[in-house]
Amino acid sequence: MLFAMGLAGTVNAQLNNYKYIVVPKKFNAFKSENQYQTSTLVKYYFVENGFNVVYDDALPIDLVNNGCLGLTTDLIDESSMFTTKVSIALKDCNNKEVFRSIQGTSKLKDYNETYREAIANAFVSFTGMNYKYEPKKDEVKESAPVTISFKDDVKSVPEKSKEHVVEQKATKEEQVYKAIEPKPTSIVKSDEKEASAVSVPTDLLYAQPTDSGYQLVDSTPKVVFILESTSMENVFITEFQGNNAVVFKKGDKWLLEYSENGEKVQKELNIKF
């Protein structure tokens, strides 16, 4: 038991040296992108265990400049005819495997359900790791400035203090990411009005399955919306600006409908399932 505890501590300390977990949109063991929702499930469970996770096509600037800041995920599929068997491997920038989970198994018949259960079982290996990024001594250097592009979303930003204080919370019950100082205006462009006080996300959002529907996360990753399933197909209940709202599919587009100044407003969302 003492040996097992010591080994777990060693593994945890080793993973703490890496800032990012990179999840491929398509694992080598599968024929198509996100087949059986494997990529979204793996990212979801890493986020649930406190890791900073990005997809391989949405790498942050510092990871692009230094690939050794991250570990790349591989889904090892050793399934047989009647049993789904998967494990999660993490490889460094030299393609060296630094960690492999236990093998998660499932005997469910439906492919989506059996991979969901097997992946969840494999992630037991990451439970209780209490991951916290701790850069290696030879990697502690001055960070490169991060440039944030607001595109055409914001008309103007007040020129105030350059300091930016961030309050973050990330639990299953509540996930918050909000700036405390400074407090820029949230006025955005609108086709129907000169200005609007409500800002709707326009970047690509990734749908991750939950027990009651989906959660939509951006590339940070940050949870932007919690979608609750309804009895109607492709119609979800959510919360926006502290009020009830609806996300639904119309044609090929996903729309967010909410009330603003007593009027119904619809804005398009860019969602990838």
Side-chain angles (χ1 to χ4, degrees):
M1 176 64 71
L2 291 176
F3 172 75
M5 291 175 63
L7 179 60
T10 301
V11 171
N12 186 36
Q14 187 177 18
L15 296 186
N16 286 346
N17 289 329
Y18 297 91
K19 188 175 182 180
Y20 300 102
I21 300 294
V22 180
V23 175
K25 287 292 188 67
K26 176 185 175 299
F27 289 108
N28 293 329
F30 300 94
K31 296 180 180 180
S32 61
E33 183 177 293
N34 199 28
Q35 190 169 5
Y36 311 128
Q37 295 185 321
T38 47
S39 294
T40 51
L41 284 169
V42 168
K43 184 178 180 182
Y44 170 78
Y45 284 115
F46 269 125
V47 171
E48 286 290 293
N49 284 280
F51 291 89
N52 190 9
V53 195
V54 296
Y55 284 120
D56 58 353
D57 63 349
L59 304 182
I61 299 291
D62 56 346
L63 184 56
V64 172
N65 293 332
N66 181 8
C68 292
L69 287 174
L71 292 172
T72 300
T73 311
D74 192 13
L75 187 63
I76 311 299
D77 189 354
E78 297 177 327
S79 301
S80 61
M81 183 176 296
F82 300 107
T83 306
T84 300
K85 305 175 184 179
V86 299
S87 52
I88 310 298
L90 296 174
K91 297 181 179 180
D92 63 15
C93 56
N94 297 312
N95 204 35
K96 177 183 176 182
E97 186 173 303
V98 299
F99 180 77
R100 181 179 292 207
S101 72
I102 62 171
Q103 189 174 76
T105 63
S106 173
K107 293 188 177 182
L108 298 176
K109 294 182 179 180
D110 179 80
Y111 280 115
N112 286 310
E113 294 301 322
T114 193
Y115 276 102
R116 180 195 296 268
E117 183 176 69
I119 290 172
N121 290 336
F123 265 90
V124 170
S125 296
F126 297 93
T127 302
M129 277 193 176
N130 297 320
Y131 164 82
K132 181 180 180 182
Y133 175 53
E134 299 173 355
K136 300 176 184 177
K137 292 182 179 179
D138 57 350
E139 291 179 351
V140 179
K141 299 179 181 179
E142 184 177 354
S143 299
V146 178
T147 302
I148 302 177
S149 174
F150 289 91
K151 299 181 181 178
D152 295 328
D153 292 341
V154 181
K155 283 187 173 182
S156 63
V157 178
E159 293 183 5
K160 293 186 179 180
S161 170
K162 294 182 179 179
E163 296 183 359
H164 192 72
V165 182
V166 175
E167 176 185 348
Q168 296 190 54
K169 281 176 119 179
T171 65
K172 288 185 178 179
E173 294 77 19
E174 183 180 11
Q175 298 200 33
V176 179
Y177 183 100
K178 62 181 180 180
I180 300 176
E181 289 292 345
K183 297 180 179 179
T185 177
S186 59
I187 296 177
V188 298
K189 293 181 177 180
S190 173
D191 295 334
E192 301 175 353
K193 298 181 180 180
E194 179 64 21
S196 171
V198 179
S199 177
V200 177
T202 58
D203 293 331
L204 181 61
L205 301 176
Y206 300 94
Q208 298 176 342
T210 64
D211 292 338
S212 58
Y214 293 89
Q215 64 179 11
L216 304 183
V217 302
D218 58 20
S219 59
T220 308
K222 175 185 68 178
V223 176
V224 181
F225 291 103
I226 300 293
L227 304 185
E228 300 289 337
S229 297
T230 68
S231 59
M232 294 176 287
E233 185 178 3
N234 294 328
V235 178
F236 300 92
I237 298 173
T238 189
E239 183 177 314
F240 183 66
Q241 299 292 322
N243 297 310
N244 291 332
V246 178
V247 172
F248 62 100
K249 191 173 186 180
K250 184 176 182 180
D252 295 327
K253 297 181 179 180
W254 284 96
L255 300 176
L256 169 69
E257 183 174 292
Y258 59 95
S259 295
E260 182 180 354
N261 298 324
E263 298 179 3
K264 293 293 185 181
V265 180
Q266 291 184 358
K267 295 291 180 69
E268 184 176 352
L269 295 177
N270 189 6
I271 305 176
K272 184 175 182 60
F273 283 87

